[in-house]
Amino acid sequence: MMQNLSMHVLDIAANSVRAKATKVSVAVVDSELRNQIKITVSDNGCGMNEEMCRKVQDPFFTSRTTRKIGLGVPFFKELSEQCGGEFSLKSKEGAGTEISASMQRDHWDTPPMGDIGDAVMIAATTDCSVHFIFTYQNDTGCFVFDTDEIKAILGDEVSIADAEIMLWCKDYINQGIAMCGKKEEDL
């Protein structure tokens, strides 16, 4: 089982890249007031029909040829339901997929967030041509990271997959999450 939520984000986002998405959005809503964490990953990849949507939720099915079982989606679904939340998978062939999982923040089985900046950067640089948007929202603020904005600043000379750029982006994401909603006098 995955030890933190960032690993689920990485796994589901990597599925989106494998589905030939050109745009992947990851949204994390972390609400103390509602006692809920909700993670949504959506893409414009190849999508799935109804039968395939059912199959990918089965741990003994995978479309990959490198192993005989697929655990990412089933583990994410089980985690959300085990932690007092809900899971949904919506997909349309040729239009993309949206996977959403919520869980109670204070449930004893809800894992920690983990290094979300690292997970986002690994997913975003799996295929640097993919437009990757990460949004983190809590009860008091919102932080957005958009690879197209970073690529526009870098220009054509430097890749977002450059090790120094990846480290900077990872730190920027984690700092953005940490600062989300803090008042200027608290900084």
Side-chain angles (χ1 to χ4, degrees):
M1 178 133 339
M2 296 185 203
Q3 296 180 345
N4 59 56
L5 294 175
S6 67
M7 298 313 304
H8 288 281
V9 168
L10 175 58
D11 182 70
I12 302 301
N15 288 345
S16 293
V17 173
R18 279 193 296 278
K20 305 201 182 321
T22 59
K23 184 177 182 181
V24 177
S25 297
V26 174
V28 176
V29 178
D30 185 4
S31 174
E32 286 185 47
L33 294 174
R34 289 187 308 237
N35 187 32
Q36 182 184 64
I37 296 171
K38 183 174 184 180
I39 298 171
T40 304
V41 180
S42 57
D43 67 55
N44 66 349
C46 62
M48 299 177 279
N49 61 31
E50 286 182 42
E51 180 183 356
M52 184 64 78
C53 285
R54 282 190 302 277
K55 284 182 176 182
V56 299
Q57 295 178 63
D58 177 351
F60 300 105
F61 171 81
T62 184
S63 59
R64 294 173 66 175
T65 57
T66 56
R67 62 179 188 231
K68 296 188 189 281
I69 56 174
L71 298 174
V73 173
F75 273 173
F76 201 34
K77 179 181 181 180
E78 180 182 350
L79 176 68
S80 67
E81 293 171 351
Q82 174 182 320
C83 295
E86 296 177 353
F87 177 87
S88 72
L89 187 155
K90 300 173 190 165
S91 191
K92 183 176 179 186
E93 282 186 285
T97 301
E98 178 183 283
I99 294 178
S100 185
S102 65
M103 57 213 71
Q104 292 176 359
R105 285 182 99 252
D106 66 358
H107 194 282
W108 54 83
D109 286 328
T110 298
M113 191 67 68
D115 191 341
I116 199 80
D118 195 42
V120 168
M121 283 316 300
I122 291 170
T125 56
T126 301
D127 180 343
C128 293
S129 68
V130 175
H131 179 196
F132 201 92
I133 301 167
F134 169 73
T135 306
Y136 175 87
Q137 183 177 351
N138 63 18
D139 296 321
T140 57
C142 184
F143 169 78
V144 177
F145 174 82
D146 186 325
T147 57
D148 278 6
E149 291 177 4
I150 302 299
K151 291 175 193 173
I153 293 167
L154 294 173
D156 293 332
E157 292 91 43
V158 181
S159 169
I160 196 166
D162 179 274
E164 288 182 38
I165 302 301
M166 285 180 66
L167 284 173
W168 181 88
C169 289
K170 170 191 160 178
D171 289 343
Y172 176 67
I173 292 165
N174 287 333
Q175 288 172 8
I177 291 169
M179 303 303 279
C180 194
K182 288 191 176 183
K183 296 180 180 151
E184 203 168 305
E185 60 267 14
D186 294 335
L187 304 178

